Amino acid sequence: MGRPFTSVLIANRGEIAVRIERACLELGLRPVLVASEADAAGCTRPGAGGPLAIGPSAPGRSYLNQAAILLAARVTGAEAVHPGYGFLSENADFADAVEAAGLAFVGPPASAIRIMGDKIAAKRAMMAAGVPCVPGPGEPLPEDAEAVRAIAEEIGYPVIVKAAGGGGGRGMRVVRESAEVADAIAITREEARRAFGKPELYMEKFLEHPRHVEFQVLCDIHGNAVWVGHRDCSVQRRHQKVVEEAPAPGIAPDLAERIGVRCAQACRQIGYRGVGTFEFLYENGEFYFIEMNTRLQVEHPVTEMTAGVDLVHEQLRAAQGAVLETERFTGAARGHAFECRINAEDPTTFVASPGRITAVRFPSGPGIRVDTHVSAGYRVSPYYDSLIAKLIVHAPTREDAIRRMQVALSETCIEGIATNLPLHARIFSDPDFVRGGVDIHHLEKRLREEP
Ligand code: ADP
């Protein structure tokens, strides 16, 4: 249940910790920052009280260490915990532990995280709420290979075998003909058992050329739920998003409305709270649910810019039990926004490029937003994700926003380490991307054609 609080421990690092810290200060809440050894050593922010040390650099011993985080909350008197994204943000046991310690968890109830953490349970919940899913039964596959082949015939090849407990693009295998079924099941089941400790598999139609389109939702604890816009995140490499935009181009407003309303309905049915994202594959004018993320997402700013909402404020208010002012949200976008994920990595080999940033210049001006934790002198650690900044632009039309991003990218300069800025410049001058609506394989195809 929601409960009032005046201080928030931010159980995360990097740009998202800065983002959440700002939101807390704006709402008059006291932010409590924590840091691993590597991050404490790299801290360059002047004026800050300094983060509390929670352990060694390896994430397993700091940002994933539940006991250390709860102890940090106790010694600092924090009354709530915001998990950010990644790390413990989708760990239902952690959400339970936070509440059991008498603190507010800034996220959905553990029960909702549990449902969405099991892809079969999630698919069933979505079917029950009338959210369109990828064709295929929302049930675990039987052991018997003959019975599995019958299911595949029924769906029609190609199909994809997926682990119920899978994540991060792992535990999936495409099957194109009946001779491949038995091996695919055996290998994926073994992988699932080892990697996720959960052998259940399920099967669905494999879509060949989908786009990735997702819907942002917002809920309070009083049964109010709204959708606040959609995003296109089809520009990906190895299932990692590289560029995102809002709204997703070329989606009929009445179709978006229909899907968004169903997503909000699903939230009411599972007792959801706070912010969440429904991810869909979109192909030939149809939406197919693939998963729900029960947390704030990296790409949330493009929705903030186009929906005129502060999602972190709303998330904190929902955790406090506030009533959501649903009439403020229509799902309609104002203008267009793009986000470039700037990573510390080689732009052609994609190998991580940790090290000291010697000089940095970010763009500024109308419609420009930079979410980052780095500045000159900052040492990018090899221990964590390579995201060092998010460059976000907002403009009245998609065309204006593309030009604005091209100029903003040309103004951005990061020295001392390699970054993927040249890749972003390429993407924003790619005629297919500029036209809009590329599928999830487009970037990798381009990179194969001209490395
Ligand atoms: P994860 O939790 O590992 O991210 P998802 O279910 O979100 O797993 O799927 C990850 C990616 O795998 C999708 O973004 C898409 O590229 C691909 N994928 C998943 N299901 C299908 C499908 N039915 N057809 C085609 N591609 C799929």
Side-chain angles (χ1 to χ4, degrees), residues 119 160 162 167-169 172 204-207 239 281 291 440:
K119 294 186 175 192
I160 183 168
K162 299 169 81 169
M172 291 185 285
E204 59 191 25
K205 181 87 186 158
F206 178 69
L207 305 174
H239 297 306
L281 296 178
E291 69 167 342
I440 59 174

Side-chain angles (χ1 to χ4, degrees), residues 106-189:
V106 184
S111 56
I113 302 177
R114 263 190 201 101
I115 296 174
M116 295 305 163
D118 179 319
K119 294 186 175 192
I120 299 177
K123 189 162 180 174
R124 277 228 202 98
M126 291 308 118
M127 286 165 135
V131 173
C133 295
V134 184
E139 281 170 30
L141 285 178
E143 293 284 341
D144 175 55
E146 229 10 81
V148 174
R149 262 193 286 272
I151 294 170
E153 305 291 337
E154 166 97 31
I155 297 170
Y157 293 99
V159 296
I160 183 168
V161 175
K162 299 169 81 169
R170 293 180 312 148
M172 291 185 285
R173 195 153 269 98
V174 180
V175 183
R176 297 198 175 266
E177 52 183 284
S178 92
E180 298 170 358
V181 169
D183 279 357
I185 299 290
I187 299 168
T188 317
R189 208 183 283 285

Side-chain angles (χ1 to χ4, degrees), residues 47-351:
L52 188 68
I54 49 162
S57 306
R61 302 179 66 193
S62 47
Y63 301 106
L64 287 168
N65 182 342
Q66 302 190 26
I69 288 168
L70 290 173
L71 180 62
R74 182 132 50 88
V75 302
T76 57
E79 296 165 302
V81 175
H82 194 311
Y85 53 62
F87 299 123
L88 294 167
S89 61
E90 290 183 289
N91 184 320
D93 294 338
F94 179 63
D96 273 336
V98 168
E99 300 274 341
L103 311 171
F105 181 72
V106 184
S111 56
I113 302 177
R114 263 190 201 101
I115 296 174
M116 295 305 163
D118 179 319
K119 294 186 175 192
I120 299 177
K123 189 162 180 174
R124 277 228 202 98
M126 291 308 118
M127 286 165 135
V131 173
C133 295
V134 184
E139 281 170 30
L141 285 178
E143 293 284 341
D144 175 55
E146 229 10 81
V148 174
R149 262 193 286 272
I151 294 170
E153 305 291 337
E154 166 97 31
I155 297 170
Y157 293 99
V159 296
I160 183 168
V161 175
K162 299 169 81 169
R170 293 180 312 148
M172 291 185 285
R173 195 153 269 98
V174 180
V175 183
R176 297 198 175 266
E177 52 183 284
S178 92
E180 298 170 358
V181 169
D183 279 357
I185 299 290
I187 299 168
T188 317
R189 208 183 283 285
E190 190 44 37
E191 221 172 67
R193 205 190 310 271
R194 258 186 291 128
F196 317 116
K198 221 188 221 185
E200 283 88 43
L201 305 179
Y202 67 110
M203 184 182 274
E204 59 191 25
K205 181 87 186 158
F206 178 69
L207 305 174
E208 300 270 11
H209 295 289
R211 286 165 60 187
H212 174 118
V213 177
E214 57 186 34
F215 283 68
Q216 177 73 54
V217 293
L218 191 48
C219 314
D220 67 15
I221 60 163
H222 310 286
N224 298 302
V226 289
W227 71 285
V228 290
H230 49 68
R231 303 184 276 260
D232 193 317
C233 316
S234 301
V235 180
Q236 303 183 359
R237 194 185 149 269
R238 299 216 170 142
H239 297 306
Q240 299 294 313
K241 298 165 184 167
V242 179
V243 170
E244 299 99 341
E245 63 180 296
I251 309 287
D254 56 335
L255 174 61
E257 173 74 20
R258 232 172 21 245
I259 300 293
V261 165
R262 298 257 168 90
C263 293
Q265 177 59 22
C267 288
R268 282 180 219 110
Q269 288 186 7
I270 60 171
Y272 201 77
R273 173 185 68 207
V275 303
T277 299
F278 290 78
E279 295 192 337
F280 292 87
L281 296 178
Y282 176 80
E283 192 175 77
N284 298 328
E286 305 271 359
F287 281 97
Y288 304 95
F289 171 81
I290 46 169
E291 69 167 342
M292 180 177 192
N293 291 319
T294 55
R295 53 169 167 83
L296 188 68
Q297 288 197 254
V298 176
E299 59 271 28
H300 76 275
V302 291
T303 300
E304 295 189 318
M305 308 302 278
T306 48
V309 59
D310 187 309
L311 290 169
V312 185
H313 283 189
E314 296 298 336
Q315 192 181 24
L316 288 162
R317 285 198 194 107
Q320 290 177 313
V323 176
L324 182 64
E325 295 164 29
T326 53
E327 62 284 355
R328 280 174 41 216
F329 307 97
T330 62
R334 266 161 275 168
H336 206 94
F338 285 99
E339 172 179 283
C340 288
R341 296 191 188 195
I342 302 176
N343 295 332
E345 66 187 18
D346 185 282
T348 48
T349 64
F350 301 102
V351 173

